[in-house]
Amino acid sequence: MDTVAHSQIQVIGHNWAIELFARQVQVERVPQALLLTGPPNIGKSTLALFFAQYLNCQTDGPKPCGVCLSCRKILNGSHPDIRIFDDEQQALKIDEIRDLQHDLSLSPYEGQYRVAILCNFERATTSAANALLKTLEEPASQVVIILTAVEAGSLLPTIVSRCQSTVLRPLPTSAVSQALQTYWQASPEQGELLAQLSAGRLGWAKRALLDETLLAHRAECLRDLSDILRMNRANRLAYAQTLSRNQVTLKATLQVWLTIWRDLLLLQSGSKTQILNLDWREPLQNLAGQSNLGQAKEMVTKLRAALLNLEYNVNPRLNLEIVLLKMPKFEGK
Ligand SMILES: [Zn+2]
């Protein structure tokens, strides 16, 4: 996929986290383990890479410069002292941690620090997490370990207590919209819509801008939901069987449905809060007219629970069936 070329890692927002880190580096109190938490696609791994650049940048000026050899190698993934574990599908395993531990026991090869970035650490196996704990207990000098996770509560407390925790919050939608227009050539309309849909998660907004299948899938989710609301029990169960075959699509679909029911809840309660799916005001008002506040509340709760269940490997089909059978039944074909 084509992306816009950049010589520097774009961190938008999270300024306080960068300032804190920079101060610690300046006074030579570099944290040996960092935990970055926040919703998916909010910029955790981007910030981790930025920190890796910061630690190894060769310039005497403001860091990271984005142009020195070290900065460029980190950006294109070829720096020998930076290890990144960012597999969306696979859990981090104990063998990989052992391999990493060996690496970290050596002095930096060409940079000042060895940096290990372990993304979505809640997905690591228990044995991998326990193995990493040993490394955190006996930190080596010139080594920085950065973990990312959605919530600290999903990690072993003993791991969390050994990390400097940084909680990243969603950006204001105006900042997301501005960044999309400034750095990724979005039109003002695209910028506003994607910023709103992203709920302040720039990573998501950027992906949706560059990969149009994301918005196409979103439109499909609305169509499917409208159909399901008119389906009988048997057809809903058949739909559950098909959709649950692909975990990634299932999760993405549940996430979109959650935004829809949340919007329906806002419309039905007459709230002044702006709906998320700005471009769907009309179809959503139509759906809101056929359902009630209690149903919308229940669906928001059920969808949140279903998304959480996915993280805990609950049977995907049963998980989805519960949601679909709880959805109201609209009249009509
Ligand atoms: Zn540099």
Side-chain angles (χ1 to χ4, degrees):
M1 188 181 67
D2 286 327
T3 54
V4 185
H6 285 289
S7 56
Q8 222 170 342
I9 292 169
Q10 297 289 336
V11 180
I12 314 287
H14 315 309
N15 293 345
W16 64 271
I18 293 171
E19 281 162 21
L20 170 66
F21 186 79
R23 264 202 309 280
Q24 291 180 309
V25 176
Q26 277 154 21
V27 299
E28 293 177 6
R29 298 190 63 170
V30 177
Q32 289 179 306
L34 279 164
L35 169 62
L36 307 180
T37 56
N41 305 118
I42 201 170
K44 301 183 293 289
S45 50
T46 305
L47 187 59
L49 266 185
F50 181 90
F51 287 162
Q53 269 193 336
Y54 196 103
L55 289 167
N56 285 302
C57 179
Q58 296 157 337
T59 185
D60 295 327
K63 296 177 191 225
C65 67
V67 292
C68 72
L69 188 61
S70 170
C71 281
R72 280 183 286 136
K73 278 189 172 180
I74 291 173
L75 188 64
N76 66 31
S78 64
H79 197 296
D81 295 320
I82 313 298
R83 294 281 304 270
I84 302 168
F85 297 85
D86 190 11
D87 193 323
E88 286 268 326
Q89 309 298 329
Q90 296 273 326
L92 191 62
K93 300 200 178 60
I94 186 163
D95 293 349
E96 292 171 295
I97 296 289
R98 293 226 170 101
D99 184 40
L100 174 69
Q101 282 166 333
H102 172 73
D103 264 22
L104 296 181
S105 67
L106 309 170
S107 307
Y109 187 69
E110 61 175 56
Q112 288 181 281
Y113 286 88
R114 282 192 181 267
V115 182
I117 301 173
L118 311 176
C119 298
N120 306 310
F121 198 69
E122 62 268 71
R123 295 205 194 122
T125 62
T126 312
S127 52
N130 279 314
L132 183 77
L133 190 56
K134 296 227 166 48
T135 306
L136 297 177
E137 281 166 349
E138 297 154 14
S141 61
Q142 293 177 290
V143 166
V144 176
I145 295 172
I146 307 179
L147 307 180
T148 79
V150 172
E151 285 175 338
S154 57
L155 304 180
L156 292 175
T158 40
I159 286 196
V160 178
S161 69
R162 283 179 172 78
C163 295
Q164 173 176 308
S165 259
T166 301
V167 183
L168 301 185
R169 309 257 175 234
L171 301 179
T173 46
S174 58
V176 174
S177 172
Q178 199 56 53
L180 291 176
Q181 294 174 55
T182 309
Y183 298 106
W184 291 282
Q185 287 76 45
S187 69
E189 295 74 31
Q190 276 178 315
E192 197 194 344
L193 174 64
L194 294 177
Q196 188 69 19
L197 292 177
S198 74
R201 297 171 302 140
L202 180 59
W204 186 91
K206 206 170 74 188
R207 268 177 51 205
L209 181 69
L210 300 172
D211 175 5
E212 53 196 31
T213 61
L214 230 73
L215 283 192
H217 174 255
R218 173 176 166 265
E220 208 175 295
C221 291
L222 175 64
R223 275 196 306 275
D224 281 5
L225 180 70
S226 308
D227 289 347
I228 290 163
L229 290 168
R230 287 178 176 76
M231 278 182 196
N232 62 24
R233 186 184 161 90
N235 287 341
R236 289 182 186 197
L237 293 177
Y239 184 91
Q241 191 170 20
T242 310
L243 180 60
S244 59
R245 283 190 196 127
N246 183 326
Q247 286 260 32
V248 178
T249 317
L250 171 60
K251 185 173 175 182
T253 304
L254 291 175
Q255 281 166 340
V256 176
W257 285 351
L258 178 59
T259 69
I260 293 175
W261 282 103
R262 193 182 150 274
D263 282 348
L264 293 179
L265 188 60
L266 290 175
L267 292 172
Q268 276 153 343
S269 63
S271 161
K272 293 270 181 288
T273 309
Q274 169 123 285
I275 59 169
L276 211 58
N277 297 290
L278 278 181
D279 54 333
W280 287 348
R281 185 166 284 279
E282 206 177 311
L284 291 184
Q285 259 157 354
N286 186 9
L287 289 180
Q290 298 178 73
S291 52
N292 62 47
L293 185 65
Q295 288 167 332
K297 270 187 189 158
E298 177 165 33
M299 288 320 301
V300 167
T301 310
K302 287 278 181 270
L303 284 162
R304 282 197 179 128
L307 278 163
L308 200 64
N309 285 341
L310 281 186
E311 299 299 322
Y312 292 103
N313 296 320
V314 171
N315 179 310
R317 185 168 58 87
L318 295 181
N319 189 24
L320 179 58
E321 281 177 4
I322 293 170
V323 172
L324 294 187
L325 295 179
K326 274 291 169 197
M327 280 199 195
K329 168 90 171 73
F330 291 0
E331 294 312 312
K333 66 165 181 63

